[in-house]
Amino acid sequence: MANTERYGLIGETLGHSYSKHIHHALCGYDYELMSIPRDKIEAFLSARQFAGLNVTIPYKRTVIPHCDLLTDAAREIGSVNTLMMQSDGRLLGDNTDYAGFLYLARKVGISFKNKKVLILGNGGTSLTARTAIRHEGAREIIVVSRNGAVNYQNVYGQADAEIIVNTTPVGMFPNNGVRLIELTRFPKLGGVLDVIYNPLSTALLLEAKRLGIPCGGGLSMLVAQAKYAAERFGRMPISDRQIGVIEQKLRKELTNLVLVGMPGSGKSTLAAACAESMGREVVEIDDIIVQKAGRSIPEIFAKYGEARFREIESETVAEVGRRTGLVISTGGGAILREQNVAALQQNGLIACLDRPLELLPTDGRPLSKGIDALRAMKKQRTPIYKKSSDFTVENKQGIEQAKERIMEGFYEALSH
């Protein structure tokens, strides 16, 4: 007999799942994250001590023999991500990833009709995407896998692809910052989808954004499939509007606020002020560098030179950029390297602080030892700050005013 109140997510590793938060926001019921080892999954499913479950890697096919009924989508795809006990005691298997994937494509404005589509990966999520894309009338679907007829060595022979969908875990936390292909090799490309939701923007999506190609990440799909599963659990319809509301709430909580700007522009002070107002942790990149090196910044420059300092800085930015929900204060030169910009953008929005040269301090700063040095530095860095930032805030009228403008800019940028 099923436990009529027990809902949750089963998988092998669920440490970074957002599903509990999403389902609580959708319906308010208790929802458990249940990490179940492979040698325990059969016994767990046989006991049927649950009312409804979501299923994730690696059990989306494992659960199928335990189902008494399958929806048409689950049967055709061959993968189940939602289990629901019926009133007559039978277990229904569904695939709400199918509807979630199509919601993501619609949200971004991508149509598969008569298009040539490349799907990276041949696992369970690839099967779901393939079925959905075929139903939407794609002209041609090419599956790319490491050992398939089309693989990552010959994939550029498919340069006429119009849409690319990543269903692999490449680029997912903790292996952030990597991608399987270069989008610049596909001149007809008109859309990119990536089912990964951690980080919020993978390296593949960041490249698509730089190229101005319509694109979308897995957070929309995650929330949408949860909404369709919750409808099964509660046996009542939920407005699609709820998907956007919950996704936006998650983005507000997860997206880092990153402050960049000239040395002495007020990044540390304003980061602390913003963090206090937002109830967030503040992280100082330079403080972590000092802890790692066991020396002050001027001492690191004096002993090892700027090149070594930049190496430590890049390592630190890569580590911090993987985290979410922070206010991050960077060193003035942190965004001189493109890899650092990408690391900060994957989970964050970047605010550039602009402060008049005459207000910038010079004491104890290895690269800004006088007004002439500052002037030359500002001339070199201003184009980089502008190119890398989502918005700019002047800091010349006091901390409180600048803080308010930063937070207004952050939430305004998040709404786009």
Side-chain angles (χ1 to χ4, degrees):
M1 181 67 73
N3 181 336
T4 58
E5 300 298 328
R6 193 180 193 193
Y7 298 96
L9 171 66
I10 59 171
E12 190 170 34
T13 305
L14 304 175
H16 294 87
S17 173
Y18 303 140
S19 291
K20 183 172 184 174
H21 187 99
I22 293 169
H23 279 268
H24 185 77
L26 280 166
C27 292
Y29 46 63
D30 289 336
Y31 187 94
E32 302 174 58
L33 299 182
M34 293 174 265
S35 296
I36 301 173
R38 297 189 190 213
D39 62 346
K40 305 287 186 187
I41 189 64
E42 293 291 341
F44 174 86
L45 292 168
S46 297
R48 294 195 174 187
Q49 292 298 305
F50 54 84
L53 292 177
N54 289 126
V55 184
T56 190
I57 297 172
Y59 301 136
K60 291 186 178 183
R61 296 190 193 190
T62 307
V63 301
I64 292 178
H66 293 265
C67 295
D68 302 302
L69 303 164
L70 293 175
T71 62
D72 290 344
R75 186 178 301 106
E76 183 171 354
I77 296 166
S79 174
V80 163
N81 81 321
T82 300
L83 296 172
M84 179 64 197
M85 291 301 300
Q86 305 296 286
S87 56
D88 60 4
R90 292 188 296 176
L91 182 61
L92 172 69
D94 193 5
N95 189 313
T96 62
D97 283 337
Y98 175 95
F101 176 77
L102 290 179
Y103 174 90
L104 167 62
R106 286 198 305 273
K107 179 186 173 188
V108 179
I110 290 176
S111 168
F112 299 106
K113 186 85 173 167
N114 295 323
K115 299 289 176 54
K116 178 173 180 175
V117 183
L118 280 190
I119 300 178
L120 310 184
N122 62 351
T125 306
S126 173
L127 290 172
T128 302
R130 252 178 271 177
T131 303
I133 292 168
R134 186 172 64 249
H135 287 176
E136 292 293 299
R139 185 181 76 253
E140 186 177 4
I141 299 173
I142 304 292
V143 176
V144 187
S145 62
R146 294 192 185 279
N147 300 310
V150 179
N151 51 60
Y152 298 105
Q153 283 70 51
N154 63 25
V155 66
Y156 298 113
Q158 309 295 327
D160 57 341
E162 295 162 283
I163 297 171
I164 291 177
V165 179
N166 178 46
T167 67
T168 77
V170 175
M172 184 169 70
F173 179 91
N175 301 309
N176 306 40
V178 295
R179 65 184 191 279
L180 288 162
I181 57 175
E182 295 177 18
L183 299 183
T184 52
R185 306 280 295 274
F186 298 91
K188 294 185 176 180
L189 200 57
V192 177
L193 299 175
D194 195 329
V195 302
I196 293 172
Y197 59 85
N198 183 4
L200 296 170
S201 293
T202 60
L204 188 72
L205 291 182
L206 288 175
E207 185 183 14
K209 289 176 183 176
R210 283 195 296 273
L211 296 172
I213 298 170
C215 60
L219 188 63
S220 298
M221 177 177 169
L222 177 74
V223 179
Q225 66 79 24
K227 176 261 185 186
Y228 298 121
E231 288 180 324
R232 288 279 189 195
F233 297 162
R235 295 186 172 86
M236 57 188 300
I238 300 170
S239 169
D240 272 4
R241 183 176 174 278
Q242 280 293 95
I243 300 171
V245 170
I246 293 170
E247 182 188 350
Q248 187 64 2
K249 184 172 184 292
L250 272 173
R251 286 192 184 280
K252 284 182 179 178
E253 293 173 1
L254 296 171
T255 303
N256 296 325
L257 168 59
V258 183
L259 302 186
V260 303
M262 289 281 287
S265 58
K267 299 184 293 294
S268 297
T269 302
L270 283 163
C274 291
E276 183 177 3
S277 293
M278 300 167 80
R280 291 185 173 202
E281 178 184 353
V282 61
V283 174
E284 287 275 355
I285 296 292
D286 281 356
D287 285 355
I288 299 175
I289 294 172
V290 168
Q291 290 172 8
K292 283 183 174 181
R295 300 174 185 274
S296 68
I297 301 291
E299 288 171 344
I300 297 171
F301 270 77
K303 184 170 180 64
Y304 304 113
E306 182 176 357
R308 177 57 187 149
F309 172 81
R310 296 297 175 203
E311 289 175 8
I312 302 173
E313 185 176 57
S314 291
E315 293 168 8
T316 306
V317 168
E319 293 164 7
V320 173
R322 292 190 183 99
R323 298 175 60 190
T324 58
L326 304 173
V327 177
I328 301 171
S329 173
T330 67
I335 59 171
L336 296 179
R337 290 184 172 186
E338 289 188 5
Q339 68 196 75
N340 295 357
V341 176
L344 294 167
Q345 288 177 331
Q346 65 181 324
N347 284 319
L349 289 173
I350 298 178
C352 177
L353 299 184
D354 184 18
R355 199 174 196 199
L357 274 180
E358 60 272 18
L359 298 181
L360 299 178
T362 56
D363 292 343
R365 296 177 183 272
L367 295 180
S368 48
K369 295 179 178 176
I371 190 67
D372 290 340
L374 281 172
R375 188 173 290 113
M377 185 188 298
K378 186 166 187 176
K379 183 178 181 182
Q380 178 214 359
R381 292 185 180 180
T382 295
I384 303 172
Y385 289 141
K386 287 186 176 179
K387 179 182 175 184
S388 307
S389 303
D390 295 283
F391 60 99
T392 298
V393 169
E394 282 193 341
N395 178 23
K396 63 179 183 180
Q397 295 179 326
I399 296 301
E400 194 61 30
Q401 292 94 329
K403 182 193 79 173
E404 293 301 323
R405 286 196 292 271
I406 291 169
M407 292 175 59
E408 287 172 7
F410 178 72
Y411 291 118
E412 173 69 17
L414 268 178
S415 67
H416 293 162

